[in-house]
Amino acid sequence: MRIEEHGLRAAGGEAVASRSSFLEGGIPVSRPSAVTTFQPLTMAVPGRPVALQVKVSAPATGKELPVILLSHGHGSSNHLSSLHGYAPLADFFAAHGFVVIQPTHLDSTTLGLRDENDPEASLHWRSRVQDMTHLLGHLDEIQTTVPGLRGRPDSSRIAVVGHSMGGTTATMLLGQGVTDPVDGPLDLADDRIKAGIAMAPAGNGADLTPPAKAQSPAMRTLTFGTMTKPALIVYGDNDFNPAFSACRDWRSDAYFQSPGPKSLLTLFGAQHSLGGVAGYDAKETKDENPQRVALLRAMSWAYLRSQLYPGDPAWARAVDALNRTAQPLGKVESK
């Protein structure tokens, strides 16, 4: 649906000449554009047991494009937990002005490394973060390899987005505390990342169940007092799994237990899949809801626009639109 909306900006921060924008899930967003995709981009990484495979999606035109590192979850599907997953997010972000970079982490079922003799398996939590920092250190190589991308990304405007274990990868890069059983406390924050969105991330490690603590000693150390970077936490108020924690709101801890600036988008009735962010028509999505996904990605886009371009009114307009909805699918609070 097209609307007339003043003040929204297109890729790179320039004003939209026609001042035309669209509604996605009832939220004003920029006009979508054609997208190009390149996959797989294969990168050899010293010490990594297999090469890092990456998918890059970007608007077909435009310069000074902000960048999103998109981290997949640890789900059981063969390909959603890889560069092939999360199309509902990647397609939308790229169509609305972002370069989206999707790695396949070592815990992907496509690689068969979950049960290897590695103290960080099956989650490979630290390797996930290392994947992201490697990509940040090789943005020049990425844009040189992907046809038509050279000179177009804006390396000063980088965000991280992730869902589930990918959400925890995001919170670690945003400053979340974690302690390795051997190496001790780790600081995995990356200053090149300006803001992030953590969708259904793990909560405080102290509230994990004993079996969950035994499965991953590092995850039981997760804390949020040092997570100072701006972030939007997305939480489904029906996302409860007693195998992980007895706390029904455990996946909102990243908002309530971290210092500001933070925002929390609570999605009413949403389970862990948040309506289906991991893939189109994914069988394991128990709460499939295209309207919820539309709202989630529009709010996420608006949040990142305003964080990466200070003064951009996209987030304020998005929150106002949500608050004016007769039967809203969620709510926002900030600190």
Side-chain angles (χ1 to χ4, degrees), residues 4-326:
E4 294 302 315
E5 184 69 50
H6 299 275
L8 290 175
R9 297 175 183 271
E14 69 273 16
V16 179
S18 66
R19 298 192 301 184
S20 294
S21 53
F22 290 75
L23 288 178
E24 171 77 1
I27 306 301
V29 299
S30 66
R31 180 190 299 273
S33 65
V35 171
T36 63
T37 299
F38 184 87
Q39 63 172 334
L41 188 160
T42 302
M43 309 176 77
V45 180
R48 201 174 191 269
V50 296
L52 177 59
Q53 290 197 329
V54 182
K55 176 182 176 181
V56 180
S57 303
T61 61
K63 295 183 178 180
E64 299 180 348
L65 302 171
V67 177
I68 288 175
L69 301 182
L70 178 56
S71 180
H72 64 72
H74 183 73
S76 58
S77 289
N78 286 330
H79 295 286
L80 295 183
S81 61
S82 76
L83 60 83
H84 300 294
Y86 290 84
L89 298 180
D91 292 351
F92 181 85
F93 288 137
H96 292 270
F98 286 86
V99 176
V100 182
I101 303 175
Q102 296 176 258
T104 296
H105 298 302
L106 290 182
D107 66 307
S108 173
T109 54
T110 62
L111 300 179
L113 298 175
R114 289 188 175 185
D115 298 324
E116 69 170 337
N117 186 23
D118 184 317
E120 294 181 7
S122 65
L123 297 178
H124 291 281
W125 58 272
R126 182 153 40 178
S127 172
R128 283 171 151 269
V129 174
Q130 292 169 343
D131 288 345
M132 303 301 236
T133 57
H134 183 85
L135 293 173
L136 289 175
H138 292 79
L139 285 178
D140 288 345
E141 177 183 341
I142 291 171
Q143 62 177 296
T144 299
T145 303
V146 176
L149 191 62
R150 175 179 282 185
R152 298 175 61 212
D154 183 347
S155 61
S156 70
R157 304 184 196 273
I158 298 173
V160 61
V161 176
H163 170 249
S164 192
M165 192 59 202
T168 298
T169 302
T171 54
M172 288 182 181
L173 287 162
L174 296 167
Q176 177 185 53
V178 61
T179 298
D180 180 85
V182 176
D183 298 330
L186 301 176
D187 179 5
L188 300 178
D190 195 305
D191 288 339
R192 293 169 292 188
I193 295 173
K194 306 306 180 186
I197 299 177
M199 303 177 182
N204 193 303
D207 292 324
L208 281 168
T209 62
K213 288 180 178 179
Q215 183 180 17
S216 180
M219 296 298 286
R220 68 188 180 190
T221 71
L222 298 181
T223 58
F224 298 97
T226 58
M227 200 177 95
T228 58
K229 288 181 175 290
L232 171 65
I233 311 304
V234 182
Y235 160 66
D237 64 6
N238 202 25
D239 183 1
F240 171 62
N241 187 337
F244 291 140
S245 175
C247 301
R248 297 196 67 90
D249 59 352
W250 183 65
R251 294 204 180 262
S252 66
D253 286 353
Y255 173 76
F256 289 107
Q257 298 182 20
S258 67
K262 299 289 187 300
S263 292
L264 175 69
L265 172 61
T266 300
L267 297 175
F268 302 149
Q271 299 179 30
H272 191 59
S273 294
L274 302 176
V277 296
Y280 298 117
D281 299 320
K283 187 174 182 180
E284 64 266 47
T285 297
K286 305 302 183 184
D287 64 335
E288 185 175 25
N289 188 321
Q291 291 77 25
R292 182 180 292 140
V293 173
L295 173 68
L296 165 57
R297 60 192 186 181
M299 296 296 292
S300 299
W301 172 87
Y303 180 83
L304 292 181
R305 286 295 310 179
S306 292
Q307 287 296 325
L308 297 179
Y309 297 93
D312 190 307
W315 177 241
R317 293 179 186 276
V319 173
D320 180 65
L322 179 62
N323 290 338
R324 288 188 285 108
T325 303

